[in-house]
Amino acid sequence: MTQIILPYKVKKESFVFERYFHPVYQTRITESDNSVHYDSRKPLEVIEDACLDNGSDFKGRLRSMAKILGPKKQYLYPALISEREAILLQPMNSHRNDDCIWINVEHIASDNGRSHFEHNHLHIKLGGNGIFSVRCSSRFLEKMYSNHYLIKNRLLD
Protein backbone atom coordinates (compact mmCIF):
# COMPACT_ATOMS: atom_id res chain seq x y z
CA MET A 1 0.00 0.00 0.00
CA THR A 2 1.47 3.34 -1.04
CA GLN A 3 0.41 6.62 0.48
CA ILE A 4 1.55 10.17 0.11
CA ILE A 5 1.26 11.99 3.39
CA LEU A 6 2.49 15.55 3.70
CA PRO A 7 4.14 16.06 6.02
CA TYR A 8 4.88 12.54 7.25
CA LYS A 9 4.87 12.13 11.03
CA VAL A 10 7.46 9.70 12.41
CA LYS A 11 5.79 6.99 14.48
CA LYS A 12 6.57 3.67 16.09
CA GLU A 13 5.71 1.79 12.85
CA SER A 14 8.14 3.93 10.82
CA PHE A 15 10.93 1.59 9.81
CA VAL A 16 13.17 2.78 6.97
CA PHE A 17 13.76 6.34 5.73
CA GLU A 18 15.62 6.59 2.47
CA ARG A 19 16.33 9.22 -0.16
CA TYR A 20 13.93 9.04 -3.08
CA PHE A 21 14.70 10.77 -6.36
CA HIS A 22 11.48 12.19 -7.77
CA PRO A 23 10.48 15.67 -9.00
CA VAL A 24 8.29 16.21 -5.91
CA TYR A 25 9.13 13.61 -3.24
CA GLN A 26 12.57 13.32 -1.66
CA THR A 27 11.96 10.65 0.97
CA ARG A 28 10.47 7.18 0.84
CA ILE A 29 9.39 5.81 4.21
CA THR A 30 8.67 2.13 4.62
CA GLU A 31 6.71 1.07 7.66
CA SER A 32 6.99 -2.27 9.44
CA ASP A 33 3.92 -3.64 7.63
CA ASN A 34 5.63 -2.84 4.28
CA SER A 35 3.37 0.13 3.55
CA VAL A 36 5.22 2.93 1.75
CA HIS A 37 4.82 6.67 2.25
CA TYR A 38 6.46 9.63 0.52
CA ASP A 39 7.44 13.06 1.74
CA SER A 40 8.69 16.14 -0.12
CA ARG A 41 11.40 16.79 2.50
CA LYS A 42 14.80 15.07 2.64
CA PRO A 43 15.08 12.23 5.20
CA LEU A 44 17.13 14.33 7.63
CA GLU A 45 14.56 17.14 7.43
CA VAL A 46 11.76 14.68 8.30
CA ILE A 47 13.84 13.48 11.26
CA GLU A 48 14.78 17.00 12.38
CA ASP A 49 11.10 18.00 12.40
CA ALA A 50 10.21 14.85 14.36
CA CYS A 51 12.83 15.77 16.98
CA LEU A 52 11.35 19.27 17.28
CA ASP A 53 7.85 17.79 17.59
CA ASN A 54 9.13 15.85 20.60
CA GLY A 55 10.78 18.67 22.50
CA SER A 56 14.32 19.34 21.24
CA ASP A 57 16.25 19.86 18.05
CA PHE A 58 18.31 17.25 16.23
CA LYS A 59 21.62 18.70 17.46
CA GLY A 60 20.37 18.49 21.04
CA ARG A 61 19.46 14.85 20.48
CA LEU A 62 22.98 14.19 19.17
CA ARG A 63 24.52 15.92 22.22
CA SER A 64 22.45 13.63 24.42
CA MET A 65 23.77 10.60 22.53
CA ALA A 66 27.36 11.90 22.93
CA LYS A 67 26.88 12.02 26.68
CA ILE A 68 25.59 8.44 26.76
CA LEU A 69 27.73 6.82 24.05
CA GLY A 70 30.93 8.85 24.22
CA PRO A 71 32.47 11.38 21.85
CA LYS A 72 33.57 9.08 19.00
CA LYS A 73 31.93 8.94 15.55
CA GLN A 74 29.13 11.36 16.36
CA TYR A 75 28.03 11.33 12.72
CA LEU A 76 26.80 7.75 13.30
CA TYR A 77 24.86 8.41 16.50
CA PRO A 78 21.25 7.31 16.48
CA ALA A 79 18.58 9.97 16.79
CA LEU A 80 16.24 9.50 19.72
CA ILE A 81 13.03 10.81 18.21
CA SER A 82 10.67 10.06 21.08
CA GLU A 83 11.38 8.77 24.56
CA ARG A 84 7.66 8.25 25.16
CA GLU A 85 7.25 5.98 22.13
CA ALA A 86 10.82 4.60 22.21
CA ILE A 87 11.60 5.65 18.62
CA LEU A 88 15.31 5.49 17.90
CA LEU A 89 16.52 5.96 14.32
CA GLN A 90 19.98 4.78 13.29
CA PRO A 91 21.81 6.32 10.31
CA MET A 92 23.48 3.60 8.25
CA ASN A 93 26.20 6.05 7.22
CA SER A 94 26.91 9.68 8.06
CA HIS A 95 23.74 11.66 8.69
CA ARG A 96 25.44 14.47 6.76
CA ASN A 97 25.17 12.38 3.59
CA ASP A 98 21.97 13.13 1.64
CA ASP A 99 21.74 9.46 0.67
CA CYS A 100 21.86 8.28 4.29
CA ILE A 101 19.39 5.50 5.06
CA TRP A 102 17.80 5.62 8.52
CA ILE A 103 16.44 2.52 10.26
CA ASN A 104 14.21 2.26 13.32
CA VAL A 105 16.47 0.06 15.45
CA GLU A 106 13.62 -1.31 17.56
CA HIS A 107 12.25 -3.22 14.59
CA ILE A 108 15.45 -5.18 14.12
CA ALA A 109 16.63 -5.38 17.74
CA SER A 110 13.46 -7.23 18.72
CA ASP A 111 12.87 -8.82 15.34
CA ASN A 112 12.08 -12.44 16.29
CA GLY A 113 13.96 -13.75 13.27
CA ARG A 114 12.98 -10.95 10.88
CA SER A 115 16.54 -9.98 10.05
CA HIS A 116 19.81 -11.68 9.22
CA PHE A 117 23.28 -10.55 8.27
CA GLU A 118 25.01 -12.02 5.24
CA HIS A 119 27.83 -10.86 2.94
CA ASN A 120 28.06 -7.38 4.51
CA HIS A 121 24.33 -6.79 4.11
CA LEU A 122 21.63 -6.62 6.74
CA HIS A 123 18.49 -8.22 5.28
CA ILE A 124 15.21 -7.36 6.99
CA LYS A 125 11.86 -8.99 6.31
CA LEU A 126 9.01 -6.51 6.15
CA GLY A 127 5.29 -7.22 6.17
CA GLY A 128 3.99 -9.30 3.30
CA ASN A 129 6.82 -10.41 1.01
CA GLY A 130 8.97 -7.31 1.38
CA ILE A 131 12.68 -7.53 2.11
CA PHE A 132 14.90 -4.53 2.72
CA SER A 133 18.70 -4.86 2.43
CA VAL A 134 21.32 -2.36 3.50
CA ARG A 135 25.09 -2.64 3.30
CA CYS A 136 26.96 -2.49 6.62
CA SER A 137 29.79 -4.25 8.40
CA SER A 138 29.24 -6.82 11.13
CA ARG A 139 31.16 -4.55 13.52
CA PHE A 140 28.81 -1.65 12.75
CA LEU A 141 25.79 -3.90 13.31
CA GLU A 142 27.13 -5.08 16.67
CA LYS A 143 27.79 -1.48 17.73
CA MET A 144 24.32 -0.44 16.60
CA TYR A 145 22.71 -3.18 18.72
CA SER A 146 24.84 -2.44 21.78
CA ASN A 147 24.13 1.32 21.50
CA HIS A 148 20.43 0.58 21.15
CA TYR A 149 20.33 -1.50 24.33
CA LEU A 150 22.44 1.02 26.24
CA ILE A 151 20.16 3.89 25.25
CA LYS A 152 17.03 1.86 25.87
CA ASN A 153 18.17 0.83 29.36
CA ARG A 154 19.40 4.32 30.22
CA LEU A 155 16.61 6.48 28.82
CA LEU A 156 13.62 4.45 27.74
CA ASP A 157 12.93 1.93 30.51
Side-chain angles (χ1 to χ4, degrees):
M1 175 184 195
T2 300
Q3 291 184 339
I4 298 168
I5 300 172
L6 298 173
Y8 181 84
K9 294 287 186 186
V10 177
K11 53 191 172 187
K12 206 168 186 70
E13 298 78 23
S14 304
F15 188 29
V16 177
F17 294 78
E18 58 188 317
R19 186 67 192 266
Y20 185 68
F21 296 95
H22 182 274
V24 176
Y25 308 110
Q26 295 189 62
T27 300
R28 179 171 60 191
I29 304 108
T30 305
E31 294 188 349
S32 55
D33 65 357
N34 206 24
S35 60
V36 177
H37 305 271
Y38 296 93
D39 194 293
S40 60
R41 300 168 291 173
K42 292 179 182 178
L44 185 56
E45 292 170 338
V46 174
I47 291 163
E48 287 173 334
D49 286 348
C51 290
L52 287 171
D53 289 345
N54 285 287
S56 73
D57 67 358
F58 180 73
K59 288 182 181 180
R61 299 287 173 154
L62 291 184
R63 283 194 305 275
S64 174
M65 293 298 102
K67 186 171 183 172
I68 294 167
L69 302 174
K72 295 186 178 181
K73 294 192 178 181
Q74 293 184 13
Y75 61 92
L76 290 175
Y77 284 162
L80 179 60
I81 303 300
S82 171
E83 296 89 342
R84 183 177 61 253
E85 295 184 60
I87 301 171
L88 186 69
L89 299 179
Q90 175 68 51
M92 298 309 288
N93 57 35
S94 173
H95 69 265
R96 297 178 190 118
N97 182 343
D98 272 348
D99 294 335
C100 179
I101 294 171
W102 294 78
I103 293 179
N104 186 333
V105 181
E106 185 66 25
H107 290 292
I108 56 175
S110 59
D111 73 352
N112 299 318
R114 283 180 45 190
S115 67
H116 71 279
F117 183 77
E118 180 180 46
H119 305 295
N120 286 332
H121 282 81
L122 174 64
H123 304 282
I124 306 158
K125 293 179 193 170
L126 302 170
N129 294 326
I131 294 179
F132 181 82
S133 294
V134 64
R135 184 176 173 80
C136 66
S137 70
S138 59
R139 190 170 189 284
F140 177 82
L141 192 60
E142 289 169 11
K143 189 69 173 165
M144 181 177 70
Y145 284 137
S146 66
N147 286 348
H148 171 72
Y149 287 114
L150 180 62
I151 293 163
K152 192 170 178 173
N153 290 332
R154 181 108 180 254
L155 294 177
L156 304 178
D157 286 338

